[in-house]
């Protein structure tokens, strides 16, 4: 069974602003619904970036690494063993 890893990264954009990206989620997941729930739960803005080589990426404003880690594991979207957290 091919277990792909989910990467949660944070990038700094213009001064103190951050951008959180989640990459490597399964193809059969409804990414738009995940973003919709995350936006409501964490009071932030986000979008799905559809890519060719890298696959689809969820992009959220602010440093949402801990929040998204908890969100993905508590709702059993991704097992803890498959998540890699990157950052400062």
């Amino acid at each position: 069974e091919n277990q792909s890893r989910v990467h949660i990264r944070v990038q700094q954009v213009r001064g103190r602003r951050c951008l959180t990206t989640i990459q490597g989620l399964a193809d059969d997941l409804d990414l738009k619904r995940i973003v919709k729930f995350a936006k409501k739960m964490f009071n932030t803005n986000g979008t799905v970036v559809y890519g060719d080589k890298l696959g689809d990426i969820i992009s959220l404003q602010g440093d949402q690494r801990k929040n998204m880690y908890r969100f993905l594991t508590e709702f059993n979207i991704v097992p803890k063993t498959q998540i890699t957290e990157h950052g400062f």
Side-chain angles (χ1 to χ4, degrees):
E1 186 181 332
N2 183 14
Q3 301 228 329
S4 63
R5 298 205 56 80
V6 174
H7 298 277
I8 301 177
R9 294 187 174 90
V10 68
Q11 300 165 329
Q12 215 161 12
V13 188
R14 278 197 274 147
R16 287 178 45 207
R17 296 182 189 270
C18 292
L19 188 69
T20 304
T21 57
I22 296 101
Q23 179 186 352
L25 289 167
D27 295 333
D28 59 345
L29 290 173
D30 189 349
L31 298 185
K32 281 189 175 178
R33 275 187 76 195
I34 292 174
V35 168
K36 187 178 175 182
F37 277 97
K39 283 165 68 170
K40 282 223 165 76
M41 285 176 74
F42 311 132
N43 296 321
T44 185
N45 199 10
T47 185
V48 179
V49 181
Y50 298 100
D52 296 333
K53 286 183 226 159
L54 299 173
D56 300 339
I57 297 172
I58 290 178
S59 179
L60 296 168
Q61 286 182 359
D63 186 355
Q64 307 292 340
R65 283 175 297 174
K66 296 275 182 272
N67 290 337
M68 283 309 291
Y69 182 85
R70 228 175 38 244
F71 177 80
L72 292 172
T73 52
E74 280 181 16
F75 289 102
N76 295 324
I77 299 170
V78 182
K80 285 182 180 181
T81 54
Q82 287 185 23
I83 298 178
T84 308
E85 233 180 291
H86 307 274
F88 302 126

